[in-house]
CSV table of all heavy atoms in Angstrom, one decimal:
chain,number,residue,atom,x,y,z
Q,469,ASN,N,-58.9,-128.1,-80.4
Q,469,ASN,CA,-59.6,-129.2,-81.1
Q,469,ASN,C,-59.2,-130.5,-80.4
Q,469,ASN,O,-58.1,-130.7,-79.8
Q,469,ASN,CB,-59.2,-129.3,-82.6
Q,469,ASN,CG,-57.7,-129.4,-82.8
Q,469,ASN,OD1,-57.1,-130.4,-82.6
Q,469,ASN,ND2,-57.1,-128.3,-83.3
Q,470,GLY,N,-60.1,-131.5,-80.5
Q,470,GLY,CA,-59.8,-132.8,-79.9
Q,470,GLY,C,-61.0,-133.6,-79.6
Q,470,GLY,O,-62.1,-133.3,-80.0
Q,471,ASN,N,-60.7,-134.7,-78.8
Q,471,ASN,CA,-61.7,-135.7,-78.4
Q,471,ASN,C,-61.2,-136.3,-77.1
Q,471,ASN,O,-60.3,-135.8,-76.5
Q,471,ASN,CB,-62.0,-136.7,-79.5
Q,471,ASN,CG,-60.7,-137.3,-80.0
Q,471,ASN,OD1,-59.7,-137.6,-79.2
Q,471,ASN,ND2,-60.6,-137.5,-81.3
Q,472,VAL,N,-61.9,-137.3,-76.7
Q,472,VAL,CA,-61.5,-137.9,-75.4
Q,472,VAL,C,-60.0,-138.4,-75.5
Q,472,VAL,O,-59.2,-138.2,-74.5
Q,472,VAL,CB,-62.4,-139.1,-75.0
Q,472,VAL,CG1,-61.8,-139.9,-73.8
Q,472,VAL,CG2,-63.8,-138.7,-74.8
Q,473,GLU,N,-59.6,-138.9,-76.6
Q,473,GLU,CA,-58.3,-139.5,-76.7
Q,473,GLU,C,-57.2,-138.5,-76.7
Q,473,GLU,O,-56.1,-138.7,-76.2
Q,473,GLU,CB,-58.2,-140.4,-78.0
Q,473,GLU,CG,-57.0,-141.2,-78.1
Q,473,GLU,CD,-56.9,-142.4,-77.2
Q,473,GLU,OE1,-58.0,-142.9,-76.7
Q,473,GLU,OE2,-55.8,-142.9,-76.9
Q,474,GLU,N,-57.4,-137.4,-77.4
Q,474,GLU,CA,-56.4,-136.4,-77.5
Q,474,GLU,C,-57.0,-135.0,-77.8
Q,474,GLU,O,-57.9,-134.8,-78.6
Q,474,GLU,CB,-55.4,-136.7,-78.6
Q,474,GLU,CG,-54.2,-135.8,-78.8
Q,474,GLU,CD,-53.2,-136.2,-79.8
Q,474,GLU,OE1,-52.5,-137.2,-79.5
Q,474,GLU,OE2,-53.1,-135.6,-80.9
Q,475,THR,N,-56.5,-134.0,-77.1
Q,475,THR,CA,-56.9,-132.6,-77.3
Q,475,THR,C,-55.7,-131.7,-77.4
Q,475,THR,O,-54.7,-131.9,-76.6
Q,475,THR,CB,-57.8,-132.1,-76.1
Q,475,THR,OG1,-59.0,-133.0,-76.1
Q,475,THR,CG2,-58.3,-130.7,-76.3
Q,476,THR,N,-55.8,-130.7,-78.3
Q,476,THR,CA,-54.7,-129.8,-78.4
Q,476,THR,C,-55.2,-128.3,-78.2
Q,476,THR,O,-56.2,-128.0,-78.8
Q,476,THR,CB,-54.0,-129.9,-79.8
Q,476,THR,OG1,-53.6,-131.3,-80.0
Q,476,THR,CG2,-52.8,-129.0,-79.9
Q,477,LEU,N,-54.5,-127.6,-77.4
Q,477,LEU,CA,-54.8,-126.2,-77.2
Q,477,LEU,C,-53.7,-125.3,-77.8
Q,477,LEU,O,-52.5,-125.6,-77.6
Q,477,LEU,CB,-54.9,-125.8,-75.7
Q,477,LEU,CG,-55.8,-126.7,-74.8
Q,477,LEU,CD1,-55.5,-126.5,-73.3
Q,477,LEU,CD2,-57.3,-126.3,-75.1
Q,478,TYR,N,-54.1,-124.2,-78.5
Q,478,TYR,CA,-53.1,-123.3,-79.1
Q,478,TYR,C,-53.2,-122.0,-78.4
Q,478,TYR,O,-54.3,-121.3,-78.5
Q,478,TYR,CB,-53.3,-123.2,-80.6
Q,478,TYR,CG,-53.2,-124.5,-81.3
Q,478,TYR,CD1,-54.3,-125.4,-81.5
Q,478,TYR,CD2,-51.9,-124.9,-81.9
Q,478,TYR,CE1,-54.1,-126.6,-82.2
Q,478,TYR,CE2,-51.8,-126.1,-82.5
Q,478,TYR,CZ,-52.9,-126.9,-82.7
Q,478,TYR,OH,-52.7,-128.1,-83.4
Q,479,TYR,N,-52.2,-121.5,-77.8
Q,479,TYR,CA,-52.2,-120.2,-77.1
Q,479,TYR,C,-51.2,-119.3,-77.7
Q,479,TYR,O,-50.1,-119.7,-78.3
Q,479,TYR,CB,-51.8,-120.4,-75.6
Q,479,TYR,CG,-52.8,-121.0,-74.7
Q,479,TYR,CD1,-52.8,-122.4,-74.5
Q,479,TYR,CD2,-53.7,-120.3,-74.1
Q,479,TYR,CE1,-53.7,-123.0,-73.7
Q,479,TYR,CE2,-54.7,-120.9,-73.2
Q,479,TYR,CZ,-54.6,-122.3,-73.0
Q,479,TYR,OH,-55.5,-122.9,-72.2
Q,480,ILE,N,-51.5,-118.0,-77.6
Q,480,ILE,CA,-50.4,-117.0,-77.8
Q,480,ILE,C,-50.3,-116.2,-76.5
Q,480,ILE,O,-51.3,-116.0,-75.8
Q,480,ILE,CB,-50.7,-116.0,-79.0
Q,480,ILE,CG1,-52.0,-115.2,-78.8
Q,480,ILE,CG2,-50.7,-116.7,-80.3
Q,480,ILE,CD1,-52.2,-114.1,-79.8
Q,481,ILE,N,-49.1,-115.9,-76.1
Q,481,ILE,CA,-48.7,-115.2,-74.9
Q,481,ILE,C,-48.1,-113.9,-75.2
Q,481,ILE,O,-47.2,-113.8,-76.0
Q,481,ILE,CB,-47.8,-116.1,-74.1
Q,481,ILE,CG1,-48.4,-117.5,-73.8
Q,481,ILE,CG2,-47.4,-115.4,-72.7
Q,481,ILE,CD1,-47.4,-118.5,-73.3
Q,482,ARG,N,-48.6,-112.8,-74.5
Q,482,ARG,CA,-48.1,-111.5,-74.9
Q,482,ARG,C,-47.9,-110.6,-73.6
Q,482,ARG,O,-48.7,-110.7,-72.7
Q,482,ARG,CB,-49.2,-110.8,-75.8
Q,482,ARG,CG,-49.5,-111.5,-77.1
Q,482,ARG,CD,-48.4,-111.4,-78.0
Q,482,ARG,NE,-48.7,-111.9,-79.4
Q,482,ARG,CZ,-48.4,-113.1,-79.8
Q,482,ARG,NH1,-47.8,-114.0,-79.0
Q,482,ARG,NH2,-48.7,-113.4,-81.1
Q,483,ASP,N,-46.9,-109.8,-73.6
Q,483,ASP,CA,-46.7,-108.8,-72.6
Q,483,ASP,C,-45.6,-107.8,-73.1
Q,483,ASP,O,-44.6,-108.2,-73.7
Q,483,ASP,CB,-46.3,-109.4,-71.2
Q,483,ASP,CG,-46.7,-108.5,-70.1
Q,483,ASP,OD1,-46.2,-107.4,-70.0
Q,483,ASP,OD2,-47.6,-108.9,-69.3
Q,484,HIS,N,-45.8,-106.5,-72.8
Q,484,HIS,CA,-44.8,-105.5,-73.2
Q,484,HIS,C,-43.6,-105.6,-72.3
Q,484,HIS,O,-42.4,-105.4,-72.7
Q,484,HIS,CB,-45.4,-104.1,-73.1
Q,484,HIS,CG,-46.3,-103.8,-74.2
Q,484,HIS,ND1,-47.7,-104.0,-74.1
Q,484,HIS,CD2,-46.1,-103.3,-75.5
Q,484,HIS,CE1,-48.3,-103.6,-75.2
Q,484,HIS,NE2,-47.4,-103.2,-76.1
Q,485,ASP,N,-43.8,-105.9,-71.0
Q,485,ASP,CA,-42.7,-106.0,-70.0
Q,485,ASP,C,-42.0,-107.4,-70.2
Q,485,ASP,O,-42.7,-108.4,-70.0
Q,485,ASP,CB,-43.2,-105.8,-68.6
Q,485,ASP,CG,-42.2,-105.8,-67.6
Q,485,ASP,OD1,-41.7,-106.9,-67.2
Q,485,ASP,OD2,-41.7,-104.7,-67.1
Q,486,ARG,N,-40.7,-107.4,-70.4
Q,486,ARG,CA,-40.0,-108.7,-70.6
Q,486,ARG,C,-40.1,-109.6,-69.4
Q,486,ARG,O,-40.3,-110.8,-69.5
Q,486,ARG,CB,-38.6,-108.4,-71.0
Q,486,ARG,CG,-37.8,-109.6,-71.4
Q,486,ARG,CD,-38.3,-110.3,-72.7
Q,486,ARG,NE,-37.5,-111.4,-73.1
Q,486,ARG,CZ,-36.5,-111.3,-74.0
Q,486,ARG,NH1,-36.2,-110.2,-74.5
Q,486,ARG,NH2,-35.9,-112.4,-74.3
Q,487,ASP,N,-40.0,-109.1,-68.2
Q,487,ASP,CA,-40.0,-109.9,-67.0
Q,487,ASP,C,-41.4,-110.5,-66.8
Q,487,ASP,O,-41.5,-111.7,-66.5
Q,487,ASP,CB,-39.7,-109.1,-65.7
Q,487,ASP,CG,-38.2,-108.7,-65.7
Q,487,ASP,OD1,-37.4,-109.3,-66.4
Q,487,ASP,OD2,-37.9,-107.7,-65.0
Q,488,LYS,N,-42.4,-109.7,-67.0
Q,488,LYS,CA,-43.8,-110.3,-66.9
Q,488,LYS,C,-44.1,-111.3,-68.0
Q,488,LYS,O,-44.8,-112.3,-67.8
Q,488,LYS,CB,-44.8,-109.1,-67.0
Q,488,LYS,CG,-44.8,-108.2,-65.8
Q,488,LYS,CD,-45.8,-107.1,-66.0
Q,488,LYS,CE,-45.8,-106.1,-64.8
Q,488,LYS,NZ,-46.8,-105.0,-64.9
Q,489,PHE,N,-43.5,-111.1,-69.2
Q,489,PHE,CA,-43.6,-112.0,-70.3
Q,489,PHE,C,-43.0,-113.4,-69.9
Q,489,PHE,O,-43.7,-114.4,-70.1
Q,489,PHE,CB,-42.9,-111.4,-71.5
Q,489,PHE,CG,-42.8,-112.4,-72.7
Q,489,PHE,CD1,-43.9,-112.8,-73.4
Q,489,PHE,CD2,-41.5,-112.7,-73.1
Q,489,PHE,CE1,-43.7,-113.7,-74.5
Q,489,PHE,CE2,-41.3,-113.5,-74.2
Q,489,PHE,CZ,-42.4,-114.0,-74.9
Q,490,GLU,N,-41.8,-113.3,-69.3
Q,490,GLU,CA,-41.2,-114.6,-68.9
Q,490,GLU,C,-42.0,-115.3,-67.8
Q,490,GLU,O,-42.1,-116.5,-67.8
Q,490,GLU,CB,-39.8,-114.3,-68.5
Q,490,GLU,CG,-38.8,-113.8,-69.6
Q,490,GLU,CD,-38.6,-114.7,-70.7
Q,490,GLU,OE1,-38.8,-115.9,-70.5
Q,490,GLU,OE2,-38.3,-114.2,-71.8
Q,491,GLU,N,-42.6,-114.5,-66.9
Q,491,GLU,CA,-43.4,-115.1,-65.8
Q,491,GLU,C,-44.6,-115.7,-66.4
Q,491,GLU,O,-45.0,-116.8,-65.9
Q,491,GLU,CB,-43.7,-114.0,-64.8
Q,491,GLU,CG,-44.6,-114.5,-63.7
Q,491,GLU,CD,-44.0,-115.6,-62.9
Q,491,GLU,OE1,-42.7,-115.7,-62.8
Q,491,GLU,OE2,-44.8,-116.5,-62.5
Q,492,LYS,N,-45.2,-115.2,-67.4
Q,492,LYS,CA,-46.4,-115.8,-68.0
Q,492,LYS,C,-46.1,-117.1,-68.6
Q,492,LYS,O,-46.8,-118.1,-68.5
Q,492,LYS,CB,-47.0,-114.8,-69.1
Q,492,LYS,CG,-47.9,-113.7,-68.6
Q,492,LYS,CD,-48.5,-112.9,-69.7
Q,492,LYS,CE,-49.5,-111.9,-69.1
Q,492,LYS,NZ,-49.1,-111.0,-68.1
Q,493,LYS,N,-44.9,-117.2,-69.3
Q,493,LYS,CA,-44.5,-118.5,-69.9
Q,493,LYS,C,-44.3,-119.5,-68.8
Q,493,LYS,O,-44.7,-120.7,-68.9
Q,493,LYS,CB,-43.2,-118.3,-70.7
Q,493,LYS,CG,-43.5,-117.5,-72.0
Q,493,LYS,CD,-42.3,-117.5,-72.9
Q,493,LYS,CE,-41.0,-116.9,-72.3
Q,493,LYS,NZ,-39.9,-117.0,-73.2
Q,494,ARG,N,-43.6,-119.1,-67.7
Q,494,ARG,CA,-43.4,-120.0,-66.6
Q,494,ARG,C,-44.7,-120.5,-65.9
Q,494,ARG,O,-44.8,-121.7,-65.6
Q,494,ARG,CB,-42.5,-119.3,-65.5
Q,494,ARG,CG,-41.0,-119.2,-65.9
Q,494,ARG,CD,-40.2,-118.8,-64.7
Q,494,ARG,NE,-40.5,-117.5,-64.2
Q,494,ARG,CZ,-39.8,-116.4,-64.6
Q,494,ARG,NH1,-38.9,-116.5,-65.6
Q,494,ARG,NH2,-40.1,-115.2,-64.1
Q,495,LYS,N,-45.6,-119.6,-65.8
Q,495,LYS,CA,-46.9,-119.9,-65.2
Q,495,LYS,C,-47.6,-121.0,-66.1
Q,495,LYS,O,-48.1,-122.0,-65.5
Q,495,LYS,CB,-47.8,-118.7,-65.2
Q,495,LYS,CG,-49.3,-118.9,-64.8
Q,495,LYS,CD,-49.4,-119.3,-63.3
Q,495,LYS,CE,-50.9,-119.3,-62.9
Q,495,LYS,NZ,-51.1,-119.7,-61.5
Q,496,LEU,N,-47.6,-120.9,-67.4
Q,496,LEU,CA,-48.3,-121.9,-68.2
Q,496,LEU,C,-47.6,-123.2,-68.0
Q,496,LEU,O,-48.2,-124.3,-67.9
Q,496,LEU,CB,-48.2,-121.4,-69.7
Q,496,LEU,CG,-49.1,-122.3,-70.6
Q,496,LEU,CD1,-49.7,-121.4,-71.7
Q,496,LEU,CD2,-48.2,-123.3,-71.4
Q,497,MET,N,-46.3,-123.2,-68.0
Q,497,MET,CA,-45.5,-124.5,-67.8
Q,497,MET,C,-45.8,-125.1,-66.4
Q,497,MET,O,-45.9,-126.3,-66.3
Q,497,MET,CB,-44.0,-124.3,-67.9
Q,497,MET,CG,-43.6,-123.8,-69.3
Q,497,MET,SD,-44.0,-125.0,-70.6
Q,497,MET,CE,-42.9,-126.4,-70.1
Q,498,LYS,N,-46.0,-124.3,-65.4
Q,498,LYS,CA,-46.3,-124.8,-64.1
Q,498,LYS,C,-47.6,-125.4,-64.0
Q,498,LYS,O,-47.8,-126.4,-63.3
Q,498,LYS,CB,-46.2,-123.6,-63.0
Q,498,LYS,CG,-44.7,-123.2,-62.7
Q,498,LYS,CD,-44.7,-122.0,-61.8
Q,498,LYS,CE,-43.3,-121.5,-61.5
Q,498,LYS,NZ,-43.3,-120.3,-60.6
Q,499,VAL,N,-48.6,-124.9,-64.7
Q,499,VAL,CA,-49.9,-125.5,-64.8
Q,499,VAL,C,-49.8,-126.9,-65.4
Q,499,VAL,O,-50.4,-127.9,-64.8
Q,499,VAL,CB,-50.9,-124.6,-65.6
Q,499,VAL,CG1,-52.2,-125.4,-65.8
Q,499,VAL,CG2,-51.2,-123.3,-64.8
Q,500,ALA,N,-49.0,-127.0,-66.4
Q,500,ALA,CA,-48.9,-128.4,-67.0
Q,500,ALA,C,-48.2,-129.3,-66.1
Q,500,ALA,O,-48.6,-130.5,-65.9
Q,500,ALA,CB,-48.0,-128.2,-68.3
Q,501,GLU,N,-47.2,-128.9,-65.4
Q,501,GLU,CA,-46.5,-129.7,-64.4
Q,501,GLU,C,-47.4,-130.1,-63.3
Q,501,GLU,O,-47.4,-131.3,-62.9
Q,501,GLU,CB,-45.3,-129.0,-63.8
Q,501,GLU,CG,-44.2,-128.8,-64.9
Q,501,GLU,CD,-43.1,-127.8,-64.3
Q,501,GLU,OE1,-43.2,-127.5,-63.1
Q,501,GLU,OE2,-42.2,-127.4,-65.1
Q,502,TYR,N,-48.2,-129.2,-62.8
Q,502,TYR,CA,-49.1,-129.5,-61.7
Q,502,TYR,C,-50.1,-130.6,-62.1
Q,502,TYR,O,-50.4,-131.5,-61.3
Q,502,TYR,CB,-49.9,-128.2,-61.3
Q,502,TYR,CG,-51.0,-128.5,-60.3
Q,502,TYR,CD1,-50.7,-128.7,-58.9
Q,502,TYR,CD2,-52.3,-128.6,-60.7
Q,502,TYR,CE1,-51.8,-128.9,-58.0
Q,502,TYR,CE2,-53.3,-128.9,-59.8
Q,502,TYR,CZ,-53.1,-129.1,-58.5
Q,502,TYR,OH,-54.1,-129.3,-57.6
Q,503,LEU,N,-50.7,-130.4,-63.3
Q,503,LEU,CA,-51.8,-131.4,-63.7
Q,503,LEU,C,-51.2,-132.7,-64.0
Q,503,LEU,O,-51.8,-133.8,-63.7
Q,503,LEU,CB,-52.5,-130.8,-64.9
Q,503,LEU,CG,-53.4,-129.7,-64.7
Q,503,LEU,CD1,-54.0,-129.1,-66.0
Q,503,LEU,CD2,-54.6,-130.1,-63.7
Q,504,ASN,N,-50.0,-132.8,-64.5
Q,504,ASN,CA,-49.3,-134.1,-64.8
Q,504,ASN,C,-49.1,-134.8,-63.4
Q,504,ASN,O,-49.3,-136.0,-63.3
Q,504,ASN,CB,-48.0,-133.9,-65.5
Q,504,ASN,CG,-48.2,-133.7,-67.0
Q,504,ASN,OD1,-49.1,-134.2,-67.6
Q,504,ASN,ND2,-47.2,-133.0,-67.6
Q,505,ASP,N,-48.6,-134.0,-62.4
Q,505,ASP,CA,-48.4,-134.6,-61.1
Q,505,ASP,C,-49.7,-135.0,-60.5
Q,505,ASP,O,-49.8,-136.1,-59.8
Q,505,ASP,CB,-47.7,-133.6,-60.2
Q,505,ASP,CG,-46.3,-133.3,-60.5
Q,505,ASP,OD1,-45.7,-134.1,-61.3
Q,505,ASP,OD2,-45.7,-132.3,-60.1
Q,506,ASP,N,-50.8,-134.2,-60.7
Q,506,ASP,CA,-52.1,-134.6,-60.1
Q,506,ASP,C,-52.6,-135.8,-60.7
Q,506,ASP,O,-53.2,-136.7,-60.0
Q,506,ASP,CB,-53.0,-133.4,-60.3
Q,506,ASP,CG,-54.3,-133.6,-59.6
Q,506,ASP,OD1,-54.3,-133.8,-58.3
Q,506,ASP,OD2,-55.4,-133.5,-60.2
Q,507,ILE,N,-52.5,-136.0,-62.0
Q,507,ILE,CA,-53.0,-137.2,-62.7
Q,507,ILE,C,-52.1,-138.4,-62.4
Q,507,ILE,O,-52.6,-139.5,-62.4
Q,507,ILE,CB,-53.1,-136.9,-64.2
Q,507,ILE,CG1,-54.1,-135.8,-64.4
Q,507,ILE,CG2,-53.4,-138.1,-65.0
Q,507,ILE,CD1,-54.1,-135.2,-65.8
Q,508,GLY,N,-50.9,-138.2,-62.2
Q,508,GLY,CA,-50.0,-139.3,-61.9
Q,508,GLY,C,-49.2,-139.8,-63.1
Q,508,GLY,O,-48.5,-140.8,-62.9
Q,509,GLU,N,-49.3,-139.2,-64.2
Q,509,GLU,CA,-48.5,-139.5,-65.4
Q,509,GLU,C,-48.5,-138.3,-66.3
Q,509,GLU,O,-49.3,-137.4,-66.2
Q,509,GLU,CB,-49.1,-140.7,-66.1
Q,509,GLU,CG,-50.6,-140.6,-66.6
Q,509,GLU,CD,-51.1,-141.8,-67.2
Q,509,GLU,OE1,-50.7,-142.1,-68.4
Q,509,GLU,OE2,-51.9,-142.6,-66.6
Q,510,LYS,N,-47.5,-138.3,-67.2
Q,510,LYS,CA,-47.3,-137.2,-68.1
Q,510,LYS,C,-48.2,-137.3,-69.3
Q,510,LYS,O,-47.9,-137.9,-70.3
Q,510,LYS,CB,-45.8,-137.1,-68.5
Q,510,LYS,CG,-45.5,-135.8,-69.3
Q,510,LYS,CD,-44.0,-135.7,-69.6
Q,510,LYS,CE,-43.7,-134.4,-70.3
Q,510,LYS,NZ,-42.3,-134.2,-70.6
């Protein structure tokens, strides 16, 4: 939900394998970091 000023995404992350589960969480955080760097602000 959201608009130009603010948007919120709600995800659930799932995996039976614990290592793959942790990697999925890291991947989502890396996407956030990349876009913040690309935009130039957090």
Side-chain angles (χ1 to χ4, degrees):
N469 56 72
N471 49 39
V472 173
E473 190 73 22
E474 184 173 289
T475 298
T476 305
L477 305 166
Y478 298 88
Y479 288 91
I480 60 173
I481 303 165
R482 302 288 189 263
D483 208 293
H484 287 93
D485 183 279
R486 186 64 177 266
D487 291 338
K488 292 179 180 178
F489 171 65
E490 297 296 338
E491 179 55 34
K492 279 182 168 58
K493 292 192 295 179
R494 286 193 292 270
K495 172 71 173 178
L496 189 142
M497 295 299 296
K498 286 178 182 176
V499 170
E501 292 169 8
Y502 171 82
L503 288 174
N504 280 333
D505 289 344
D506 186 57
I507 294 165
E509 57 183 284
K510 189 175 182 179

